[in-house]
Amino acid sequence: MKIALLLFFLFALAVPSFAKSPPGTSPPGIALVLAGGGARGLAHVGFLKALEENNIRVSAIAGTSMGALMAGLYACGYSAEQLDSLTSTMDWMQLFSSRPKPRMTFLPDRIRGRQDLINLSLRGLTPTLPGSAVSNMRVGFLLSGMTGPAQVLKGLSFDSLAIPLRVVASDLRSRDRVVFSLGELYKYQLASMAIPGIFPPFIHDSLMLVDGGVFDNMPVDVAEKAWPDLPVLAVNVGNANPTEYPDAPSLLTVFGLTFNALSARVNDHYKRDPQWLFTPDLHNSAVWSFELTDSLISWGYNQGMVWIAENPDLPRGGQPREGWHPPDFTVRNILFSGNHNVSLRAIDRWLHITRGDTLNTRIAMDVAENLYASGLFSMIRMSMLPARDPKQCDLAFAVTEIDPGTLGFGLSYNNDFGLDARLTLEHRNTFNRGVKTIINAGGGSNYAFLELSSFTNTVHTERYFSISGSLYQIKGNEQNADGSNPLRIWTDHSAALTLGRPFSWYGIVELAAEWKGRSYANSSSTEAFPLLSVSYLTDTRSNPTTNSQGTRIFLKAGWCPQESNNHSFVNWDILKIHNLPGSFLTGVSTWGSLLWGNNYEWEESRLSAARGIPGYRWNSLPSRERIAGDIFASRKVLGPMFLEAKGAATYDFDSLEEYRNGNIHWGIGLSSGINIPGGTARLGPGWDENGTTRWTFSYGSDYSFGPGR
């Protein structure tokens, strides 16, 4: 009898603790391992929903790459339903984009932009290349904003989270796997999903971290070592589909196959078989198939429900998860690191938060986005750090200053004035004060130009300043009001000092003191005059250099106090563009100029590349008074290709007193075009009111065409 009791006692000790829970206690649950697989990892969300609905208790969790992203959020307390809502509504193109959001950028920045064929960043006089193909900065904003509050409350140990967690990454320097259980969670999530060559590596102390899937895409042994008392359930989405080997592989295909082949050999070193393995059929979806988000989640859920039903030995007893809603905190301190040349004064213009303000996930992400919109930094890492008081937190930014200079080379062509070539040198941090300076020089057939502008770059202070100047020398036939068309060489020059005030993201009001003049060759005299002006501009288009939905309203009034040529003017340019069903785009605009007083003859309004009449050349139809407008409609036909129809008319007259004695000129045009890097190429005929046909070919944006811009 004693021997039997002894054998029974030894047997009980040998049985794993997860076999059966004592009555009245919670079941031990499982250790869940989520593999990496890019967009395929969205199937994890559906499987987590299936686990919750079947009361499968997740007592610990580990992940690699996209699995680390989902595992980290789930460990913080978010429910599968919350993750479903987050991923289903995510704008993935925006999430991986490196362009600042238009609604947070400074309007003059968007207007002054150039469409260059080549744009190189300069560090001193040395060109630099981008560090990755895709930015993960916004992913960092999202993860920091969502995981930061949990660590503010619970501390930096992953074991203190709602579910204990392990994150796996690969270190290129030691050429080995690294497992993280302590620190700022979002940083190691970024490291774990940093696919080499696609996302930038994450530098941490002496480590250069990249995608965890390089060395271990399904870290079963990590879970076994961290939680030896828990059985392991692994979800494999990385190798869920057979690899295809096309007959004519592209460069990206070869890169992907090479990466998979090399990582598979290394992964075998860490490979362990879990107690349960779920491998969903993801229907040949690719790593970047984020457009299949809803389908991937659905496949993970539906197949997961079936698989769970086929595995009744899975430990049940989990509690329903209601999800977690991070609380608000009070900002105790705001910390910066990495800003060696950009002054805090320049940063303050864009940092619309201060000590004592309320901070939550949404506000933190907006603050980081807004700081990036300044154009001062190429990379921003935001951290929410614990403070002594659980109701407070510190907000820390680790920034990488953007290369201060860029050199752009652009080309445009219009058969009115031939090829236009230009070099644009831009310095983003002049005087280390966030002042942006742009020098633009170039020319084409029978003309040359030099432009300079410098302005304080801010959208959150009450004002900004700018100074600008330009020189244009043109040789051409300048049509006079009497119909003559002599060949001339003239130089236009201007300078302006401007005080502006921004409002929201889409508008500015400017007061300017200007000097304008013109001189002709073979003439010793220069006609020049001072000008005081006020202008108003709103532009809600995301890209002012292309036809995109939105509204532009530009109004400018000026007065020349010069005694001999005292005069005033009003200019306007109003545009409204709509998207219509069926890939149609339509727009209507009006523009013009009214003058009164004793102005110079060359101040007359003329057509330009940006505002013209089909069938007429640029710089034609000189008129002292002009009211004009146009309407267009375009439709995409194949990818970036489109067809466009346009009609425009102008009513010109000599003075306000003789407005009834004006002339109407009009024209209609058709064109086919294609949007390509550096601008838009268009080709088509135009007919004026006399039936004269004139073909136009152009390449570039309306804002970059030669002397007519």
Side-chain angles (χ1 to χ4, degrees):
M1 183 67 180
K2 293 182 178 179
I3 295 176
L5 290 174
L6 179 61
L7 291 175
F8 177 78
F9 179 72
L10 293 175
F11 175 76
L13 290 178
V15 174
S17 61
F18 56 81
K20 189 174 182 180
S21 300
T25 63
S26 299
I30 60 169
L32 183 63
V33 174
L34 303 181
R40 295 187 301 240
L42 295 170
H44 291 316
V45 176
F47 187 66
L48 287 169
K49 291 177 66 177
L51 291 177
E52 290 183 4
E53 290 188 16
N54 285 274
N55 296 323
I56 307 298
R57 182 182 180 188
V58 179
S59 298
I61 192 167
T64 293
S65 195
M66 182 62 86
L69 189 152
M70 295 303 172
L73 295 177
Y74 200 69
C76 287
Y78 297 100
S79 67
E81 190 63 40
Q82 286 178 303
L83 297 183
D84 187 356
S85 177
L86 171 71
T87 53
S88 297
T89 58
M90 182 67 66
D91 184 347
W92 295 101
M93 293 296 292
Q94 178 66 28
L95 187 68
F96 295 120
S97 171
S98 60
R99 295 183 60 183
K101 291 184 177 180
R103 289 179 175 269
M104 291 185 173
T105 55
F106 189 38
L107 180 59
D109 270 350
R110 303 202 305 274
I111 296 172
R112 292 178 171 98
R114 297 286 189 267
Q115 290 184 310
D116 294 324
L117 284 175
I118 300 174
N119 199 304
L120 296 175
S121 294
L122 297 177
R123 194 170 297 150
L125 298 176
T126 304
T128 60
L129 297 176
S132 63
V134 181
S135 172
N136 64 359
M137 181 175 61
R138 284 197 173 92
V139 182
F141 295 165
L142 174 67
L143 295 177
S144 175
M146 294 188 70
T147 65
Q151 294 199 289
V152 169
L153 295 174
K154 300 291 187 178
L156 298 180
S157 171
F158 296 176
D159 288 327
S160 66
L161 298 174
I163 300 176
L165 169 72
R166 295 295 182 269
V167 172
V168 174
S170 302
D171 178 30
L172 294 182
R173 289 176 176 165
S174 65
R175 302 178 185 179
D176 202 354
R177 180 186 71 177
V178 185
V179 180
F180 293 100
S181 61
L182 177 69
E184 292 182 66
L185 171 56
Y186 88 93
K187 293 182 177 180
Y188 304 125
Q189 288 175 296
L190 290 179
S192 184
M193 61 180 293
I195 302 173
I198 305 299
F199 293 117
F202 194 89
I203 309 300
H204 175 70
D205 296 332
S206 61
L207 307 177
M208 182 179 289
L209 302 173
V210 295
D211 194 297
V214 173
F215 293 144
D216 188 5
N217 197 47
M218 197 166 64
V220 173
D221 68 320
V222 170
E224 291 177 340
K225 294 175 183 177
W227 309 290
D229 295 334
L230 296 177
V232 177
L233 164 58
V235 184
N236 181 15
V237 295
N239 300 315
N241 306 300
T243 302
E244 297 183 358
Y245 300 93
D247 294 332
S250 66
L251 177 64
L252 289 177
T253 301
V254 173
F255 173 82
L257 292 174
T258 303
F259 178 82
N260 290 338
L262 294 176
S263 61
R265 295 292 298 271
V266 180
N267 269 248
D268 287 342
H269 175 72
Y270 295 104
K271 186 176 180 181
R272 297 290 186 276
D273 293 327
Q275 278 75 17
W276 298 279
L277 176 64
F278 173 56
T279 303
D281 177 10
L282 301 180
H283 303 279
N284 295 318
S285 56
V287 172
W288 285 100
S289 298
F290 288 101
E291 73 279 2
L292 300 176
T293 294
D294 291 338
S295 297
L296 289 162
I297 295 174
S298 178
W299 293 332
Y301 172 76
N302 292 329
Q303 295 177 41
M305 292 292 287
V306 173
W307 183 86
I308 292 172
E310 295 172 348
N311 289 270
D313 55 334
L314 285 167
R316 265 68 172 180
Q319 298 296 320
R321 177 173 267 214
E322 298 180 356
W324 182 60
H325 300 278
D328 291 347
F329 299 96
T330 300
V331 178
R332 185 183 68 166
N333 290 308
I334 301 177
L335 311 171
F336 277 89
S337 63
N339 54 311
H340 306 295
N341 297 313
V342 178
S343 67
L344 289 176
R345 182 177 179 182
I347 293 174
D348 283 343
R349 299 192 185 110
W350 291 88
L351 191 68
H352 62 287
I353 193 169
T354 188
R355 295 176 61 183
D357 286 351
T358 298
L359 184 69
N360 55 36
T361 298
R362 181 188 58 80
I363 294 175
M365 293 174 63
D366 285 346
V367 168
E369 280 283 0
N370 202 77
L371 191 60
Y372 181 61
S374 68
L376 298 171
F377 308 108
S378 60
M379 179 64 72
I380 298 173
R381 298 297 186 203
M382 175 189 67
S383 301
M384 298 173 65
L385 302 175
R388 293 180 180 177
D389 187 337
K391 296 182 180 180
Q392 295 182 330
C393 75
D394 292 337
L395 187 60
F397 295 95
V399 299
T400 301
E401 294 177 339
I402 198 167
D403 292 329
T406 60
L407 178 64
F409 174 69
L411 286 176
S412 61
Y413 179 85
N414 186 293
N415 55 317
D416 269 347
F417 38 72
L419 187 68
D420 172 280
R422 58 196 176 276
L423 287 175
T424 302
L425 181 63
E426 181 177 315
H427 196 274
R428 302 185 180 96
N429 190 28
T430 308
F431 309 124
N432 293 340
R433 290 294 185 271
V435 176
K436 180 173 287 189
T437 301
I438 300 175
I439 300 174
N440 198 37
S445 177
N446 296 320
Y447 80 97
F449 65 87
L450 175 66
E451 299 170 332
L452 169 68
S453 62
S454 186
F455 56 97
T456 55
N457 185 5
T458 179
V459 75
H460 291 297
T461 57
E462 295 183 353
R463 59 186 179 277
Y464 65 91
F465 300 92
S466 72
I467 183 171
S468 60
S470 66
L471 285 172
Y472 281 79
Q473 187 170 80
I474 303 171
K475 178 182 180 181
N477 296 92
E478 186 182 29
Q479 185 175 356
N480 293 326
D482 60 7
S484 60
N485 199 26
L487 180 66
R488 293 174 174 169
I489 299 176
W490 69 91
T491 303
D492 287 336
H493 39 86
S494 67
L497 178 64
T498 303
L499 169 63
R501 181 185 179 93
F503 53 92
S504 191
W505 62 276
Y506 55 81
I508 54 176
V509 174
E510 294 185 337
L511 300 174
E514 305 177 60
W515 183 266
K516 291 189 173 183
R518 172 174 290 192
S519 58
Y520 288 91
N522 303 320
S523 174
S524 58
S525 62
T526 296
E527 295 178 338
F529 60 92
L531 186 67
L532 300 177
S533 67
V534 57
S535 58
Y536 167 88
L537 172 64
T538 64
D539 200 330
T540 62
R541 295 173 297 165
S542 59
N543 186 354
T545 62
T546 62
N547 286 335
S548 56
Q549 181 172 341
T551 301
R552 168 187 165 90
I553 300 176
F554 173 72
L555 303 171
K556 184 174 182 178
W559 170 61
C560 170
Q562 190 177 52
E563 185 175 347
S564 58
N565 289 87
N566 185 283
H567 62 277
S568 303
F569 72 88
V570 173
N571 294 338
W572 70 93
D573 188 341
I574 302 173
L575 170 66
K576 179 70 173 180
I577 298 178
H578 283 287
N579 285 328
L580 297 178
S583 299
F584 278 96
L585 191 71
T586 183
V588 60
S589 69
T590 176
W591 77 92
S593 175
L594 298 178
L595 280 159
W596 57 93
N598 186 22
N599 65 298
Y600 291 104
E601 213 176 287
W602 50 269
E603 288 184 78
E604 295 170 322
S605 173
R606 298 173 186 268
L607 302 184
S608 69
R611 288 290 176 259
I613 308 294
Y616 284 94
R617 292 178 57 85
W618 84 280
N619 207 33
S620 62
L621 296 181
S623 177
R624 177 181 169 91
E625 317 288 351
R626 164 159 292 151
I627 301 174
D630 67 33
I631 185 171
F632 81 89
S634 67
R635 184 181 188 277
K636 292 182 179 179
V637 290
L638 182 62
M641 300 178 65
F642 63 89
L643 297 175
E644 185 174 275
K646 179 181 179 181
T650 177
Y651 182 69
D652 302 335
F653 48 99
D654 291 333
S655 67
L656 294 176
E657 292 78 13
E658 301 178 13
Y659 70 93
R660 296 178 181 272
N661 301 323
N663 297 310
I664 297 178
H665 302 281
W666 59 270
I668 57 175
L670 299 174
S671 63
S672 60
I674 180 171
N675 294 310
I676 54 180
T680 300
R682 280 188 174 90
L683 173 65
W687 299 271
D688 64 16
E689 70 270 17
N690 300 314
T692 303
T693 303
R694 178 174 166 270
W695 282 80
T696 298
F697 172 72
S698 63
Y699 163 69
S701 71
D702 290 343
Y703 290 92
S704 64
F705 285 144
R709 57 183 165 173

